[in-house]
Amino acid sequence: MNNNLMILPASKHTGIRLIRIPEDIEEHEAYRYVTGLIAKVEEGAEYNWDDILDLLEERGFEAVEFVLGPSLD
């Protein structure tokens, strides 16, 4: 099982997401791909996390459930 993960930060803690990177994609390539995909979705009038996730899943990314711990600062 692939353990390469990417945190998608957000201005509100409820918007933070964690995704698993497909095994056939290197980390730097995944970063560029996800950045481009998010920019593409943001061009539309209305979008939400599900719109982004649908496109990510088409390429093999997976959403990962997680627990956000307490702040360190």
Side-chain angles (χ1 to χ4, degrees):
M1 175 181 270
N2 181 4
N3 288 322
N4 288 333
L5 303 172
M6 179 185 292
I7 296 171
L8 303 177
S11 56
K12 295 182 181 178
H13 72 279
T14 56
I16 297 171
R17 303 288 187 247
L18 181 64
I19 57 174
R20 179 172 286 112
I21 301 170
E23 291 182 11
D24 64 334
I25 299 180
E26 294 180 20
E27 290 177 26
H28 68 280
E29 182 184 353
Y31 184 91
R32 287 195 314 260
Y33 181 81
V34 173
T35 300
L37 185 141
I38 291 171
K40 180 180 177 181
V41 172
E42 287 178 340
E43 290 175 357
E46 293 285 325
Y47 69 92
N48 62 32
W49 164 242
D50 292 328
D51 299 326
I52 295 170
L53 182 58
D54 288 343
L55 293 174
L56 287 170
E57 287 177 338
E58 287 177 12
R59 182 55 183 91
F61 290 84
E62 298 176 48
V64 177
E65 295 294 321
F66 67 97
V67 174
L68 187 62
S71 175
L72 295 173
D73 55 2

